[in-house]
Amino acid sequence: MNDLLLWLHIGFAIFTLGPLTAATMSTPRFIRAGDVNVLRYLHRTTRIYAVAALGVFLFGALLGREYLGRPYLSISMTLFIVALALLALVVRDQGVALRILGREGGGTAESPKGDAKVQIGRVAALSGVITVIWLVILVMMVWGSPS
């Protein structure tokens, strides 16, 4: 049973966190370009993969149920929840940028409204922090797990 949980945990991590990170990190470029169609796609992709990433947490918690008191696991789970909360902010900011650029008729790279420029910086910063959190969790899972 543990082997199946490990496969599911790793599979969900690979197939959800990778595309999720790519979608959030690409968002600022398309806000700047004013490409509403791509931004709409990235917004939808972020929402879908953020929900699917809950599988990483679920299967990881089931797999580590015997070790929940160990610091590496408690810290990793807390960081994962923080990352999901930050993803909620990214999804919100993507939606705000979509509404702003949609009102402009697509906007141009030279003149996005001031609010859209704010979304660029916030999404870029939050995406970077989320990516670092994923990497910290990875390090903790590799070096902290029992042999």
Side-chain angles (χ1 to χ4, degrees):
M1 183 64 172
N2 277 350
D3 287 343
L4 176 62
L5 289 173
L6 180 61
W7 279 102
L8 289 170
H9 178 63
I10 292 171
F12 266 84
I14 291 169
F15 292 111
T16 62
L17 300 184
L20 181 58
T21 301
T24 60
M25 296 293 280
S26 300
T27 298
R29 178 181 323 131
F30 292 101
I31 294 173
R32 197 174 300 112
D35 194 334
V36 177
N37 290 328
V38 173
L39 188 56
R40 190 173 294 119
Y41 172 77
L42 292 172
H43 182 59
R44 184 176 57 243
T45 300
T46 302
R47 287 186 316 217
I48 290 168
Y49 281 101
V51 170
L54 290 172
V56 176
F57 186 84
L58 173 69
F59 293 121
L62 290 172
L63 182 63
R65 65 190 173 276
E66 300 167 13
Y67 307 104
L68 289 178
R70 297 212 178 165
Y72 82 94
L73 199 53
S74 298
I75 293 169
S76 295
M77 291 173 75
T78 302
L79 286 173
F80 199 92
I81 292 168
V82 168
L84 289 179
L86 294 176
L87 275 170
L89 296 175
V90 169
V91 168
R92 181 203 63 192
D93 290 342
Q94 287 174 329
V96 169
L98 266 172
R99 285 189 295 279
I100 291 168
L101 294 174
R103 281 197 308 256
E104 291 181 354
T108 64
E110 295 81 29
S111 65
K113 289 189 177 181
D115 287 343
K117 287 182 183 178
V118 170
Q119 304 312 318
I120 291 170
R122 263 203 306 237
V123 169
L126 291 173
S127 297
V129 170
I130 292 166
T131 301
V132 169
I133 289 173
W134 297 147
L135 291 173
V136 168
I137 292 171
L138 175 64
V139 168
M140 294 179 88
M141 291 295 104
V142 171
W143 284 329
S145 64
S147 300

